[in-house]
């Protein structure tokens, strides 16, 4: 697992905060336990972006927001040649950015 | 709260500029100060709005720098950084200084000089406002957040690319009448959507958004002079009252929002601004929205209360938001045509509205404008400032 795909599960109300934060956005409790983020879900929306950030050599990047079956939503890279809103996908972990020294791992989505 | 008035407004032409950051800021400031014609009345405070000078211009402490450039010592001074909402945030800080009685005259100047870096670096500098751990690392840029938002919004409410194009066409038409606009050129539906060459003219930036759905990257500055009632009564010329200001925040990551098509911070900020003003959206005569992407003009106009959910694109079809329509939106050309020097934009919106309310907007004057509204959209909607102005 990559460090980038952990959420913070509130020890009081159980809400998973992703990204992690210092105070639970649901109940304002301040203690959490780490929880792995991932699994199956459906494609909420996506884009092919040509206005790229630095660190990318590709012509475009396919980015998406996925609603996981446990209700958590995540942003990541979509590896699917035939994307459709609502399509079933699952998460994998891969290199999502390579600034030169240490490649960054994160969430990618593939057809379920 | 003591009343606050705008008595002067000025700006530089937006676009690519050879001027330094402080040249831009001082030209806009002097235009506003001359417009205000303060005579011997001193400026008590200077607030500068800017997002990226520390990174792209290697300059910090812009408040002190502008005071020096304008020889306004010993005026109080600071800079405000609030991403793309820096402009209206700085305006709010200036209003607070007068409303609290700490100052009688405040100069608020927004400035950005971002064309000095290449497009890639410019896009990346703005992308640095996204959530670092769960958005930025994936290559998220502002156009990509807008693209994902647009696809979902269009799917849910039946908005088509032609509606986005209608906004671009309208805003270019208005921009062509604005001598301060970055782009002063009209575009046609054929040229950007329906003709075969539209594919070349209007390439994709972040699907479903194309080039003509996105604002240009600009240099520029805009400035207003704010005064207390005690000073306002001594000055000649029309007075524009700051009737209401509202600000609201939302989750940093877009994916965490309960309904990612709902611009909740726009809704709350607008409700607050209208409530402070004792007015409602129906009272407004002219509007400036933060159309960094065409889809945002649609979504913001609904969240601010001018149209019901899923209704704005139908109003656009009917021409209601054109300069000669029921509710002119972005008579300046908006971010789409006037341009988007990030920290200057929120101030430029209020400059345009002050001119509109004073009847000084020339060829793009909205008829009989007495009440106006602006939305300055920071982050991707996670920090929004709404302002209501009224002619007195």
């Amino acid at each position: 697992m990559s460090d980038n795909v952990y959420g913070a599960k509130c020890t009081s109300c159980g809400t998973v905060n992703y990204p992690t934060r210092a105070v639970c956005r649901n109940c304002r409790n301040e203690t959490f336990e780490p929880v792995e983020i991932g699994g199956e879900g459906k494609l909420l929306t996506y884009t092919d972006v040509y206005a790229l950030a630095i660190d990318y050599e590709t012509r475009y990047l396919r980015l998406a927001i996925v609603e996981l079956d446990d209700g958590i939503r995540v942003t990541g890279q979509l590896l699917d040649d035939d994307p459709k809103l609502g399509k079933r996908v699952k998460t994998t972990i891969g290199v999502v950015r390579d600034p030169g020294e240490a490649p960054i791992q994160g969430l990618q989505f593939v057809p379920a | 709260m003591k009343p606050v008035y705008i008595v002067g407004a000025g700006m530089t032409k937006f676009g690519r500029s050879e001027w330094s950051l402080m040249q831009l800021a001082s030209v806009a400031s002097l235009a506003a100060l001359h417009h205000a014609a303060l005579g011997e009345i001193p400026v008590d405070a200077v607030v500068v709005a800017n997002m990226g000078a520390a990174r792209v211009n290697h300059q910090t402490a812009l408040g002190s720098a502008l005071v020096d450039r304008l020889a306004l010592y010993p005026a109080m001074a600071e800079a405000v950084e609030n991403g793309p909402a820096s402009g209206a945030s700085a305006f709010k800080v200036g209003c607070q200084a007068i409303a609290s009685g700490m100052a009688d005259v405040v100069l608020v100047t927004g400035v950005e000089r971002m064309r000095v870096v290449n497009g890639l670096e410019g896009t990346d500098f703005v992308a640095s406002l996204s959530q670092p751990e769960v958005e930025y690392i994936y290559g998220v840029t502002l156009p990509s957040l807008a693209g994902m938002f647009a696809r979902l919004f269009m799917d849910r409410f039946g908005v088509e690319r032609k509606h986005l194009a209608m906004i671009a066409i309208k805003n270019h038409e208005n921009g062509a009448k604005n001598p301060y606009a970055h782009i002063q050129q009209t575009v046609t539906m054929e040229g950007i959507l329906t003709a075969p060459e539209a594919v070349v003219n209007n390439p994709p930036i972040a699907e479903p958004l194309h080039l003509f759905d996105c604002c240009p990257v600009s240099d520029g500055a805009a400035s207003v002079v704010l005064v207390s009632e005690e000073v306002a009564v001594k000055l000649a010329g029309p007075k524009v009252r700051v009737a209401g200001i509202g600000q609201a925040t939302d989750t940093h990551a877009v994916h965490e929002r309960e309904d990612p098509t709902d611009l909740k911070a726009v809704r709350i900020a607008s409700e607050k601004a209208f409530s402070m003003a004792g007015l409602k959206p129906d009272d407004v005569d002219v509007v400036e929205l933060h159309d960094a992407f065409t889809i945002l003009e649609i979504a913001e106009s609904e969240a601010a209360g001018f149209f019901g959910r899923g209704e704005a694109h139908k109003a656009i079809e009917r021409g209601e938001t054109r300069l000669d329509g029921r509710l002119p939106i972005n008579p300046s050309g908006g971010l789409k045509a006037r341009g988007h020097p990030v920290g200057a934009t929120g101030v430029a919106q209020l400059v345009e509205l002050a001119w509109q309310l004073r009847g000084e907007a020339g060829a793009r004057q909205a008829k009989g404008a007495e009440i106006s509204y602006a939305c300055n959209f920071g982050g991707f909607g996670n920090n929004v400032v709404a302002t209501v102005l009224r002619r007195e």
Side-chain angles (χ1 to χ4, degrees):
Chain A
M1 270 314 266
S2 150
D3 289 345
N4 296 320
V5 286
Y6 276 87
K9 185 174 183 174
C10 174
T11 54
S12 173
C13 75
T15 297
V16 174
N17 289 257
Y18 178 76
T20 59
R21 48 171 59 83
V23 176
C24 176
R25 71 183 166 92
N26 182 50
C27 74
R28 303 207 51 78
N29 174 46
E30 297 174 17
T31 54
F32 302 90
E33 53 194 35
V35 57
E36 273 185 38
I37 301 290
E40 285 195 22
K42 62 173 190 186
L43 190 57
L44 187 69
T45 184
Y46 68 95
T47 185
D48 291 343
V49 60
Y50 295 81
L52 295 171
I54 48 174
D55 305 330
Y56 294 94
E57 303 282 320
T58 52
R59 195 164 145 262
Y60 70 90
L61 203 56
R62 186 164 283 173
L63 295 171
I65 295 177
V66 165
E67 199 162 81
L68 298 172
D69 291 342
D70 55 14
I72 297 161
R73 288 205 212 99
V74 292
T75 303
Q77 293 175 356
L78 179 59
L79 310 178
D80 182 354
D81 291 334
D82 185 28
K84 278 184 191 67
L85 298 194
K87 186 171 173 174
R88 298 288 303 170
V89 292
K90 62 183 180 192
T91 60
T92 62
I93 301 291
V95 173
V96 292
R97 189 166 197 143
D98 190 357
E101 288 165 13
I104 299 168
Q105 294 214 312
L107 290 172
Q108 293 177 326
F109 311 121
V110 296
Chain B
M1 199 179 101
K2 292 175 61 184
V4 182
Y5 294 87
I6 302 176
V7 293
M11 61 188 284
T12 66
K13 184 188 177 299
F14 283 4
R16 191 192 186 93
S17 178
E18 295 305 317
W19 290 347
S20 73
L21 191 70
M22 278 305 123
Q23 278 175 312
L24 287 165
S26 52
V27 166
S29 301
L30 286 178
L33 287 166
H34 292 155
H35 194 220
L38 293 170
E40 297 301 307
I41 302 166
V43 173
D44 301 317
V46 172
V47 189
V48 173
N50 173 266
M51 179 176 170
R55 174 157 169 189
V56 299
N57 311 110
H58 198 64
Q59 185 167 359
T60 57
L62 304 185
S64 337
L66 186 59
V67 160
D68 186 67
R69 187 103 190 168
L70 300 172
L72 289 174
Y73 349 90
M76 301 182 273
E78 58 254 292
V80 170
E81 192 275 299
N82 186 25
S86 297
S89 269
F91 178 86
K92 186 193 76 175
V93 169
C95 289
Q96 286 169 331
I98 290 172
S100 68
M102 272 190 85
D104 280 305
V105 180
V106 180
L107 174 71
V108 179
T109 299
V111 62
E112 204 78 57
R113 186 167 186 253
M114 49 198 294
R115 298 286 302 232
V116 285
V117 294
N118 64 36
L120 204 64
E121 241 180 281
T123 301
D124 190 67
F125 132 64
V126 182
S128 65
L129 66 75
S130 65
Q131 211 291 341
E133 290 93 23
V134 305
E135 288 183 337
Y136 181 80
I137 62 158
Y138 294 101
V140 162
T141 54
L142 268 288
S144 58
L145 292 175
M148 289 194 284
F149 177 84
R151 193 181 300 277
L152 191 58
F153 193 97
M154 291 164 80
D155 180 69
R156 189 163 299 175
F157 299 111
V159 177
E160 298 167 38
R161 273 194 65 205
K162 71 172 184 195
H163 298 111
L164 303 183
M166 284 174 194
I167 287 171
I169 292 163
K170 167 181 73 68
N171 290 353
H172 276 258
E173 207 170 272
N174 294 348
K177 295 177 179 152
N178 182 356
Y180 296 93
H182 184 161
I183 303 169
Q184 298 175 33
Q185 216 171 24
T186 56
V187 293
T188 62
M189 188 63 85
E190 294 73 32
I192 64 173
L193 190 65
T194 53
E197 65 270 22
V199 189
V200 182
N201 295 342
N202 194 10
I205 299 295
E207 288 279 13
L209 301 176
H210 287 234
L211 183 64
F212 281 88
D213 294 306
C214 307
C215 66
V217 176
S218 321
D219 301 327
S223 190
V224 293
V225 178
L226 303 174
V227 302
S228 63
E229 194 160 27
E230 290 83 343
V231 171
V233 294
K234 295 181 197 164
L235 300 173
K239 281 156 197 72
V240 171
R241 165 107 182 252
V242 182
I245 301 180
Q247 183 174 16
T249 48
D250 201 350
T251 63
H252 200 171
V254 174
H255 69 227
E256 265 199 308
R257 300 184 193 159
E258 208 174 320
D259 175 358
T261 64
D262 181 22
L263 300 180
K264 199 171 169 184
V266 175
R267 191 152 43 81
I268 296 171
S270 303
E271 283 166 3
K272 283 182 176 173
F274 281 120
S275 153
M276 187 189 285
L279 295 165
K280 34 185 208 312
D282 275 353
D283 298 322
V284 173
D285 303 308
V286 60
V287 171
E288 284 281 310
L289 296 179
H290 195 110
D291 58 325
F293 305 97
T294 47
I295 187 70
L296 286 180
E297 184 170 312
I298 294 179
E300 289 167 14
S301 68
E302 294 175 2
F306 299 113
F307 304 105
R309 288 275 273 169
E311 295 297 321
H313 67 286
K314 298 173 194 162
I316 288 149
E317 270 185 3
R318 294 190 293 265
E320 290 183 23
T321 60
R322 290 166 52 94
L323 200 47
D324 57 0
R326 180 176 71 81
L327 182 69
I329 294 183
N330 285 327
S332 67
L335 280 62
K336 178 74 205 76
R338 180 184 53 213
H340 187 25
V342 184
T345 284
V347 183
Q349 292 178 317
L350 299 166
V351 166
E352 174 69 17
L353 293 179
W355 286 342
Q356 288 283 347
L357 298 185
R358 292 166 63 113
E360 297 170 355
R364 60 187 194 286
Q365 178 67 47
K367 281 201 186 69
E370 289 182 15
I371 292 164
S372 66
Y373 164 95
C375 172
N376 192 191
F377 186 85
F380 195 79
N382 65 342
N383 197 328
V384 174
V385 183
T387 309
V388 178
L389 304 179
R390 177 173 209 164
R391 190 179 70 201
E392 283 201 351

